[in-house]
């Protein structure tokens, strides 16, 4: 059997360990592989989005190639653009209320240009930024109108006199432009006071050959040449630092050139022009600056393309936006259309997924797309590597973070060609929120699958572990029941028939318990065999010594014979003690119980102990009421004999032995307690329970006047257990000795 167990052991140990390792590795490897797969999928989707966006810009650029009218009308033919002189009309998001308060322009503060020393056209004295006129200005487009705003700083604004027909003897604004057919037009605004204003058309011609400085000094606007231009409207509002002016001009009046110039008068008496400052020289056509208004024709082309998943812009070669469509907040890319929500799914799983699983995923594992801020760059000067590459004739794309760094934005640009020259570029931008949403959906499904696998794996491992633990507990229970507290084998362990480590352990324990049972049986019969085998030679020696003592011997011989007789007597006592426990255990099996008063038994025995130990003092406490018990009186008396003999051996000289009998009821069960207490040495630590076993003794050498095998308390325990009682040893509460407590059941209380 041992050889067979050794043969199976290596294979069995490998089996259970391999199962656990394989299952654990599978559960740990699966989430990592799935997570890596989703991230690789996102990389591929981003590459696909990049190629798709470049293709979009190429398609739009193809529709705009070789169409010169789209760019000539927008002054894209200029070789260079001068900031401040060449104006750009920004797309306004809301209509402008002409009230002079400038509250509608606060969102466009970054687009306003400061006009100061560098934009002075004429000045009678050295220009000073603190005392001379300067202003902030921008133009914008909204629904067929060009809006202009001026925030002018002027220490002493001079208004036009009431009822005066002269418009050039006060602070006034000259507006110069070309009409759609290229004609040079000039207008003047010179108000009497703050409020609504209209422009006057200056119909007199200008001399393009006249020096500008001379024209500023000598030219006068003939009131007869003024014609009311009600289409140009505005609002003039004086302020503490100067005045504000808001204008509205119909785009139908405007060509591709535009300029504004403020004529400042500081002396209210002579009313001579002191300073002229403006966007450009408004007296000559060839000195006007240009104005770029986003092209409605290009805008129609973009909208006709039907692109609504990108923000698409068309720019000229000066990086100014000609047209734009789409919103970056809604530009999730073409992949956003692949994300479908099961809104109509009202199953319990869908509700559980939406209400429980998804909140947990998005709190700890997944980052949801967030609302981001990515304000439009300066539409008059778009920048970026992709734009510079496109204006050099190469399509290009780049990734960048949004302004608040909450989203990744993909931008692509492609050139627009005209006669082998780059006239502009198409710029398209998309966020990766669509891909991120698609990735999140994949991660949700992945985590659902992982949870399902982990749940199945957990249940499988739980069942597997429960099976193992139940088998181990069963093996433990069999091992505990196989050996009692005295080390005797009560029942054998049934060997398991399995092929794993637990079955191998069960067979090993069964074999071990079997061998222990054989050895225990040998020890149990050893005392009887020794007693039987030694009694005959002891009897022979005793008879021989007795015969020898009957003959006359000298004094020395008699002394040796006496010592031999004493040894034979001790040996006989040892043999009797060796068989006493076995005899009592066997006789208890056939003993008959009877009902008798336990208090009378204790009282009678104590009288006998007083005569047997006349020098020993006893203190007895026994109730006068009969304590009836069902048991064997002879064995209970023998129990008291062992307890008293043990107490007498360990009692200090002249100290009394206390014996008490009492009864108490615990949970409807009545018990009798016999306590034997003596003054003497305390019990050693961790020896309380062992002293109740056989062959255990702690007597010192001064107490070994007769042989002791440590069977007294063992016999007392056998008798107590026969009566279904309990016996316990402990030190006294005053630590002056030891007491033995025997608890015996009396019966059920029927009250």
């Amino acid at each position: 059997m041992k050889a067979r167990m050794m043969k199976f052991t290596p294979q069995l140990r490998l089996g259970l360990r391999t199962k656990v390792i394989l299952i654990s590795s599978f559960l740990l490897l699966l989430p990592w592989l799935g997570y890596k797969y989703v991230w690789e999928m996102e990389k591929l989707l981003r590459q696909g989005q990049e190629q798709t966006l470049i293709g979009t810009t190429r398609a739009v650029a193809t529709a705009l190639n070789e169409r010169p009218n789209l760019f000539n009308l927008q002054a894209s033919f200029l070789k260079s653009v001068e900031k401040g002189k060449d104006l750009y009309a920004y797309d306004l998001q809301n209509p402008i209320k002409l009230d002079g308060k400038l509250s509608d322009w606060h969102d466009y503060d970054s687009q306003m240009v400061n006009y100061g020393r560098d934009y002075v056209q004429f000045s009678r004295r050295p220009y000073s930024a603190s005392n001379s006129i300067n202003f902030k200005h921008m133009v914008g487009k909204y629904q067929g109108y060009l809006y202009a705003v001026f925030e002018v700083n002027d220490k002493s604004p001079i208004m036009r006199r009431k009822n005066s027909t002269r418009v050039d003897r006060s602070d006034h604004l000259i507006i110069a432009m070309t009409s759609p057919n290229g004609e040079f037009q000039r207008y003047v605004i010179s108000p009497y006071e703050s409020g609504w204003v209209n422009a006057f058309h200056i119909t007199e011609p200008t001399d393009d050959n006249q020096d500008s400085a001379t024209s500023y000094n000598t030219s006068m606007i003939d009131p007869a040449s003024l014609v009311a231009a009600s289409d140009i409207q505005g609002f003039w509002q004086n302020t503490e630092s100067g005045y504000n002016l808001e204008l509205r001009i119909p785009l139908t009046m405007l060509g591709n050139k535009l300029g504004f110039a403020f004529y400042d008068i500081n002396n209210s008496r002579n009313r001579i022009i002191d300073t002229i400052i403006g966007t450009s020289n408004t007296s000559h056509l060839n000195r006007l600056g240009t104005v770029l208004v986003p092209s409605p024709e290009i805008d129609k082309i973009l909208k006709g393309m039907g692109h609504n998943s990108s923000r698409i812009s068309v720019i000229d070669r000066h990086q100014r936006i000609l047209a734009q469509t789409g919103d970056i907040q809604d530009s999730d890319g073409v992949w956003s259309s692949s994300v479908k929500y099961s809104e109509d799914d009202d199953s319990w799983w869908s509700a559980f997924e939406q209400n429980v699983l998804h909140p947990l995923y998005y709190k700890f594992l997944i980052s949801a797309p967030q609302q981001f801020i990515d304000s439009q760059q300066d539409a008059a000067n778009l920048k970026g590597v992709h734009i510079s590459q496109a204006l050099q004739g190469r399509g290009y794309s780049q990734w960048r973070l949004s302004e608040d760094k909450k989203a990744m934005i993909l931008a692509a640009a492609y050139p627009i060609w005209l006669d082998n020259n780059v006239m502009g570029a198409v710029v398209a931008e998309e966020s990766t929120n669509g891909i991120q949403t698609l990735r999140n959906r994949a991660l949700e499904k992945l985590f659902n699958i992982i949870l399902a696998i982990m749940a199945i794996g957990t249940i499988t491992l739980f069942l597997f572990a429960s099976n193992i633990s139940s088998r181990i507990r069963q093996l433990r229970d069999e091992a505990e029941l196989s050996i009692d507290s005295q080390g005797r084998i009560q029942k054998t362990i049934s060997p398991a028939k399995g092929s794993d480590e637990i079955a191998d352990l069960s067979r090993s324990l069964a074999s071990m318990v079997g061998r222990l049972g054989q050895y225990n049986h040998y020890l149990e019969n050893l005392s009887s065999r020794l007693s039987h085998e030694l009694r005959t030679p002891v009897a022979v020696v005793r008879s021989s010594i007795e015969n020898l003592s009957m003959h006359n011997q000298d004094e020395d011989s008699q002394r040796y014979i006496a010592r031999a007789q004493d040894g034979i007597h001790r040996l006989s006592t040892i043999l009797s003690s060796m068989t006493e426990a076995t005899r009592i255990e066997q006789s208890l099996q056939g003993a008959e119980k009877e009902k008798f008063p336990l208090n009378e038994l204790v009282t009678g025995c104590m009288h006998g102990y007083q005569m047997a130990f006349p020098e020993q003092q006893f203190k007895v406490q026994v109730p006068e009421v009969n304590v009836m018990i069902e048991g064997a009186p002879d064995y209970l008396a023998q129990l008291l004999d062992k307890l008293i003999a043990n107490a007498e051996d360990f009692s200090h000289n002249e100290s009394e032995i206390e014996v008490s009998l009492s009864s108490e009821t615990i949970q409807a069960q009545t018990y009798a307690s016999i306590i034997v207490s003596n003054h003497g040495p305390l019990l050693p630590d961790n020896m309380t329970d062992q002293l109740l076993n056989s062959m255990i003794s702690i007597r010192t050498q001064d107490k070994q006047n007769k042989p002791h095998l440590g069977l007294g308390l063992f016999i007392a325990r056998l008798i107590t257990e026969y009566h279904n009682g309990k016996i316990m040893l402990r030190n006294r509460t005053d630590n002056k000795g030891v007491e033995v407590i025997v608890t015996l059941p009396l019966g059920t209380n029927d009250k």
Side-chain angles (χ1 to χ4, degrees), residues 297-314:
E297 291 80 5
I298 299 177
D299 188 61
K300 290 179 181 179
I301 294 175
L302 290 184
K303 292 182 178 179
M305 298 291 290
H307 294 286
N308 54 9
S309 61
S310 306
R311 181 172 69 184
I312 302 178
S313 306
V314 177

Side-chain angles (χ1 to χ4, degrees), residues 243-256:
Y243 50 90
N244 298 332
L245 176 60
E246 292 178 303
L247 294 178
R248 181 175 64 194
I249 305 173
L251 290 175
T252 55
M253 299 176 58
L254 185 62
N256 57 17

Side-chain angles (χ1 to χ4, degrees), residues 81-100:
V81 172
E82 297 182 29
K83 184 178 180 181
K85 178 180 179 181
D86 296 302
L87 305 177
Y88 179 83
Y90 293 91
D91 266 327
L92 302 178
Q93 302 300 320
N94 301 293
I96 300 298
K97 182 179 179 181
L98 302 178
D99 55 6

Side-chain angles (χ1 to χ4, degrees), residues 534-546 568 572:
L534 292 176
R535 285 189 183 278
T536 299
V538 168
V540 172
V541 173
R542 179 185 292 112
S543 61
S544 299
I545 292 175
E546 289 177 353
I568 289 298
S572 298

Side-chain angles (χ1 to χ4, degrees), residues 59 152 160 162 177 189 209 218 233 311 346 363-364 380 387-388 440 481 497 618 623 626-627 633 653 659 702:
V152 182
R160 180 181 171 188
K162 293 290 179 91
M177 68 178 74
I189 294 178
N209 296 320
T218 61
Q233 302 170 337
R311 181 172 69 184
D346 56 354
K363 185 175 182 180
F364 300 105
I387 293 177
S388 61
N440 290 347
L481 295 176
K497 298 181 180 180
F618 293 94
N626 288 337
V627 179
N653 295 331
V659 179
D702 57 349

Side-chain angles (χ1 to χ4, degrees), residues 8 23 38 57 109 127 278 327 365 486 499 547 638 650 657:
F8 283 113
I23 294 176
V38 171
T57 58
D109 286 342
Y127 181 86
D327 186 359
L365 301 174
Q486 288 78 45
S499 60
N547 292 331
Q638 193 170 0
F650 287 94
I657 297 175

